[in-house]
Amino acid sequence: MASPASSARALLLHLLCLFAFVLPSSAERKLETNSLNSCQANSGFTASLFNLRYVPSKNSIDVNISAVSTIEAHVIFDVSITAYGYEFYSLNLDPCKFNLAGFCPMVSGNLGDPFSLTVDPSTAKLVPGIAYTFPDIDAKVMIYINATSGPMTGQSLACLEANVSNGQTVDLIGVKWASAIVAGLALVSSAVLSGLGHTNAASHVAATALALTSYFQSQAIVGLVGIPLPPVVQSWTQDFQWSLGIVNVGFLQNIFTWYQRSTGGTAARIIDTLSTVSVQVQKRSEPLVAPSMSLFKRAEAIVPRSVSTHVSSLAKRGNVRTSYGSYIVYGIQRVAFRAGIETTNLFLTGIVSFYVVMVFAAIIVALFKGACELAAAARWTKRDTFLDFRNGWLTVLKGILFRITLIGYAPVTILSLWEFTQRDSAAEVLLAVFFLLYVNISLIWASYKLIRIAHRSVSLHRNPAYILFSDPQTLNKWGFLYIQFRASAYYFIVPVLGYTILKAFFIAFAQNAGTVQAIALLLIEAGALIAAAVLRPWMDKKINSFNIAICAVNFINAIFLLIFTKVFDQPAIVTGVVGVVLWVLNAATTLILLLVLIISTAIVFFTDNPDGRYKFMGDDRTSFMKSQSQLTATGELDALAVTARGEKAGYGSGLDDNESLQPPSFTQAPRSRPQSMNRPSASVATASTTTVQNDRARMSADRHSFITPPEDDIPRTMSPSTHATTRAQNASPWQRGAGYEDH
């Protein structure tokens, strides 16, 4: 029977061959490395700068190095080359055969002169072609410098390690733009559909778009963990950092640096010193180097144990620097470095990005309001086009800003909590406190309002869907919290917020404990998957399946993160295979979900009846939602009823006002419910007929509400049986199908 390692090698070979043919390759084949890491305690050779580039077409290796040597002896290089943890080539090199100055024999001192080496064409053929084409190849060259003369003959004087790259990557600007544009257009499409009156279709599109955006954020959060990640995982998760607001805009970075310095902080300069200092992007667990090296107290709190023993000093603001001068980045700092952002600017980058989006959204809504009024006044459009939006655009704007706050909840919380460990400046810590309180208080208050409104709806109408979906003001202002869920699961936004804040705490505060992060994320994702699969809280079967699939992939990602911690002490080849599998799984899932969203949204826009494309939900929300496709026949009746009540079209009920949450006053005649309503069928014609009957019943009830006694004022002389019979006869569809029937 084949061993697990051999099976893993076979699987990895098949995956590499498959994707080498599919993915594009650059015009120039090359292999390069940009850092030379020490992998042995008391290493006699260290380098603060090391750039090596091999181009097979030129048969040459160009080296730029700045190193310090304490070795004085004849040496031989013992070279080992591995790919995805599997050693496939090793050789011994005598530096004297290459006439390298300072290496034959090695002498103590500084080495800083660039040089080139000629490679024999026969040697170049040893490198497989796939090494130049597969993206983010996980290859490593390890060199032991062994003495051949002197008192330490046969012993290792130094160990050096270089991670090799071929310039191919899945960190592509096209993937970032494509995913961002699709998610953004889907959200805008849902807003347009809602404005046109197709509320049912808009809610489905919005629910799908929000689920996809949350999945993008989950993938980005994988890249923030303080766990050593394979290169392909680092690059793939980097594609979705835009969903966390981590976007590199040059002039903003200059502003952030100025702000930090002007408020007493010290800006990092890792990006500025790349030409003189190497940066090690933590990929695998670092070996023990110098246990006696000292760190500042703050370094001890944020540096992983695998790295802390490797570090001699810590520059201000958390930039880890080794004893030989190079930097080490990991976790959140690793994401910042790969994005070309200084680590001290990351917090402001994420915060400002989301609030810039909020400002632009407010400006666009205001401009659209003005454009609609101008078009209606000039009779370029019908007077009732976007009528609900025009009458209640401020409420719609509040709902949009709340929705953006919900989307930005995860990144704002993570970055604000992380800033408490970084303390880039006193002003930035104060900003972190403010924004953390803002998003949490806003969403907790919104959730509290939602629960109160739902409880009132249940107490008055025995179904939360009645007020939540019949009142346009409530729907437009607070709908972002519950419209994606079925009516009886309106509360599910609270577990969603709890899920997000738990992940944020472990991501921000456990950067130095990768195993703790992995176990915590595994438990959190397992709980989310179980809750989604058991409760199925979303509005229909398709949306439930969509979200459960996302939860399942997130759970698998958490398992892979636990494997990356080496807690199972698995062979390195297994870690390499798991990294590739994680990329393949998430790439396939992302592609499928994007196609589902694009196709479903396109079909909605190219159909005559967008709402009719979706089945009616079991909570009867479509009986209460003002959907254009179902209310066209009763437009005049609606207008007459609104005029008779003296209300503003679409916003007369105000059911989410504070006073509306109080018990009804007996000095005012309460509005009676319709006495009967037929459940809408799947047929559009039947649904329209039913809606006409319902609206006529509502209008009739409104006209006679001043003489109709409330249900609770039933004469006490009536017998209990008569009372029960009356309640049974008055039972309406929203009392059936949402779990609130009499038993």
Side-chain angles (χ1 to χ4, degrees):
M1 180 180 293
S3 64
S6 61
S7 300
R9 287 197 296 270
L11 175 60
L12 179 62
L13 181 61
H14 282 86
L15 290 173
L16 293 178
C17 293
L18 174 62
F19 286 95
F21 285 108
V22 174
L23 295 168
S25 60
S26 61
E28 182 183 48
R29 290 187 164 193
K30 62 180 180 180
L31 295 175
E32 60 185 359
T33 183
N34 295 313
S35 65
L36 193 63
N37 313 327
S38 179
C39 51
Q40 174 181 308
N42 301 318
S43 180
F45 188 91
T46 57
S48 61
L49 173 68
F50 184 75
N51 295 320
L52 182 147
R53 180 185 176 94
Y54 167 58
V55 181
S57 60
K58 298 179 181 178
N59 291 323
S60 65
I61 298 177
D62 299 322
V63 181
N64 182 19
I65 187 172
S66 177
V68 177
S69 173
T70 59
I71 300 174
E72 294 186 353
H74 284 85
V75 297
I76 189 170
F77 297 158
D78 185 3
V79 182
S80 171
I81 305 175
T82 61
Y84 297 94
Y86 173 67
E87 180 179 334
F88 67 91
Y89 191 71
S90 61
L91 71 161
N92 293 322
L93 296 177
D94 187 351
C96 294
K97 294 182 179 180
F98 297 97
N99 298 320
L100 295 178
F103 288 90
C104 184
M106 289 193 70
V107 295
S108 60
N110 296 327
L111 299 174
D113 297 327
F115 60 90
S116 297
L117 297 174
T118 301
V119 179
D120 188 280
S122 60
T123 304
K125 293 180 180 179
L126 297 175
V127 181
I130 196 173
Y132 302 105
T133 57
F134 193 77
D136 297 294
I137 187 170
D138 188 359
K140 179 175 65 177
V141 177
M142 184 174 291
I143 303 173
Y144 286 94
I145 301 178
N146 300 324
T148 58
S149 64
M152 299 187 68
T153 300
Q155 298 185 28
S156 175
L157 305 178
C159 174
L160 306 172
E161 181 183 86
N163 297 315
V164 180
S165 170
N166 56 14
Q168 305 292 336
T169 181
V170 297
D171 183 4
L172 302 172
I173 191 68
V175 175
K176 300 174 183 178
W177 276 104
S179 56
I181 289 174
V182 170
L185 288 179
L187 291 173
V188 172
S189 299
S190 67
V192 173
L193 287 169
S194 179
L196 292 173
H198 305 297
T199 316
N200 190 23
S203 62
H204 281 80
V205 174
T208 307
L210 288 174
L212 184 63
T213 303
S214 69
Y215 176 58
F216 289 162
Q217 290 183 339
S218 296
Q219 292 183 87
I221 289 173
V222 169
L224 299 180
V225 297
I227 299 171
L229 300 176
V232 70
V233 178
Q234 294 180 27
S235 295
W236 178 252
T237 55
Q238 200 73 27
D239 283 330
F240 302 98
Q241 296 302 330
W242 62 264
S243 65
L244 302 181
I246 301 176
V247 181
N248 187 357
V249 180
F251 77 92
L252 287 180
Q253 297 303 314
N254 295 332
I255 294 174
F256 299 153
T257 300
W258 165 82
Y259 178 80
Q260 184 189 14
R261 289 173 175 169
S262 64
T263 54
T266 301
R269 298 194 59 190
I270 294 180
I271 306 297
D272 294 339
T273 59
L274 284 178
S275 60
T276 57
V277 178
S278 293
V279 177
Q280 303 175 27
V281 178
Q282 186 194 24
K283 182 178 69 174
R284 297 189 182 280
S285 298
E286 302 292 340
L288 297 178
V289 173
S292 61
M293 293 179 179
S294 62
L295 295 173
F296 294 120
K297 292 182 179 179
R298 183 160 172 262
E300 295 173 353
I302 67 173
V303 179
R305 288 188 295 271
S306 59
V307 177
S308 62
T309 55
H310 193 67
V311 178
S312 62
S313 64
L314 180 66
K316 194 175 182 180
R317 305 279 70 85
N319 295 322
V320 181
R321 199 164 189 175
T322 65
S323 58
Y324 44 88
S326 63
Y327 290 101
I328 297 177
V329 292
Y330 60 93
I332 297 177
Q333 291 183 345
R334 176 178 58 211
V335 169
F337 173 73
R338 290 182 62 98
I341 299 172
E342 294 289 359
T343 56
T344 51
N345 288 346
L346 184 65
F347 165 70
L348 286 177
T349 299
I351 296 296
V352 170
S353 295
F354 271 99
Y355 290 97
V356 166
V357 172
M358 294 184 73
V359 171
F360 274 104
I363 294 174
I364 292 173
V365 170
L367 292 176
F368 187 67
K369 155 70 174 174
C372 289
E373 294 294 348
L374 179 62
R379 296 189 177 182
W380 297 336
T381 61
K382 296 180 180 180
R383 289 188 177 274
D384 60 348
T385 302
F386 293 111
L387 181 61
D388 286 345
F389 168 76
R390 287 154 50 197
N391 289 332
W393 72 280
L394 286 176
T395 301
V396 173
L397 177 59
K398 291 178 184 178
I400 291 174
L401 296 182
F402 269 122
R403 183 165 299 229
I404 296 175
T405 301
L406 181 61
I407 293 174
Y409 182 57
V412 170
T413 304
I414 291 173
L415 293 177
S416 296
L417 294 174
W418 182 67
E419 177 60 23
F420 296 154
T421 69
Q422 300 299 290
R423 300 188 294 278
D424 295 315
S425 73
E428 290 191 36
V429 173
L430 186 61
L431 287 175
V433 173
F434 171 77
F435 286 116
L436 185 63
L437 291 177
Y438 163 71
V439 295
N440 281 278
I441 291 175
S442 298
L443 293 175
I444 291 174
W445 166 249
S447 301
Y448 169 72
K449 290 283 289 184
L450 165 64
I451 293 173
R452 289 194 66 189
I453 294 170
H455 283 181
R456 175 173 173 80
S457 182
V458 171
S459 65
L460 294 180
H461 309 288
R462 304 179 64 198
N463 186 347
Y466 183 78
I467 296 181
L468 293 179
F469 291 99
S470 66
D471 178 32
Q473 187 171 358
T474 301
L475 188 60
N476 287 326
K477 188 174 182 180
W478 309 115
F480 73 99
L481 293 172
Y482 62 84
I483 198 169
Q484 65 269 35
F485 304 119
R486 68 175 188 270
S488 58
Y490 63 89
Y491 60 85
F492 202 75
I493 188 64
V494 176
V496 169
L497 295 179
Y499 162 84
T500 303
I501 192 68
L502 273 178
K503 289 182 68 173
F505 268 104
F506 283 102
I507 293 297
F509 293 141
Q511 288 283 299
N512 63 322
T515 303
V516 172
Q517 273 187 335
I519 295 175
L521 290 178
L522 181 64
L523 296 177
I524 293 171
E525 297 297 351
L529 177 58
I530 293 172
V534 174
L535 299 178
R536 297 180 178 270
W538 289 274
M539 63 172 66
D540 62 15
K541 185 176 180 180
K542 290 182 179 179
I543 304 298
N544 272 297
S545 300
F546 196 90
N547 283 275
I548 292 173
I550 290 174
C551 291
V553 174
N554 289 339
F555 176 66
I556 295 173
N557 288 341
I559 295 175
F560 290 165
L561 288 178
L562 187 61
I563 294 175
F564 294 150
T565 63
K566 293 292 189 73
V567 70
F568 301 112
D569 197 25
Q570 72 276 4
I573 182 66
V574 175
T575 304
V577 171
V578 170
V580 176
V581 171
L582 185 148
W583 164 52
V584 174
L585 172 65
N586 284 271
T589 303
T590 300
L591 178 61
I592 293 171
L593 297 182
L594 281 172
L595 290 176
V596 169
L597 179 60
I598 293 172
I599 294 173
S600 61
T601 305
I603 292 176
V604 165
F605 270 94
F606 288 101
T607 187
D608 294 333
N609 181 15
D611 287 333
R613 182 179 178 273
Y614 299 99
K615 294 181 179 180
F616 293 106
M617 270 71 74
D619 55 19
D620 289 310
R621 68 176 66 186
T622 50
S623 300
F624 317 129
M625 295 169 69
K626 187 176 180 180
S627 176
Q628 183 64 30
S629 61
Q630 296 185 25
L631 298 184
T632 301
T634 58
E636 296 181 359
L637 295 177
D638 285 341
L640 181 60
V642 169
T643 304
R645 291 191 298 265
E647 298 174 351
K648 197 172 184 180
Y651 288 85
S653 58
L655 291 173
D656 80 322
D657 293 339
N658 289 331
E659 60 270 17
S660 70
L661 298 176
Q662 303 300 326
S665 173
F666 291 102
T667 61
Q668 299 177 352
R671 186 179 305 158
S672 64
R673 297 197 310 268
Q675 298 301 310
S676 63
M677 180 182 292
N678 296 325
R679 177 179 293 274
S681 65
S683 169
V684 176
T686 305
S688 300
T689 302
T690 303
T691 307
V692 172
Q693 296 173 354
N694 296 340
D695 287 334
R696 288 175 177 170
R698 287 193 186 98
M699 189 177 69
S700 176
D702 290 333
R703 290 175 177 175
H704 298 85
S705 60
F706 65 94
I707 62 172
T708 303
E711 263 186 70
D712 294 337
D713 292 344
I714 298 174
R716 297 183 180 275
T717 58
M718 183 181 296
S719 64
S721 60
T722 306
H723 186 182
T725 304
T726 303
R727 293 293 296 267
Q729 292 174 349
N730 291 339
S732 54
W734 57 78
Q735 298 171 4
R736 307 185 305 269
Y740 296 94
E741 298 88 355
D742 285 333
H743 296 287

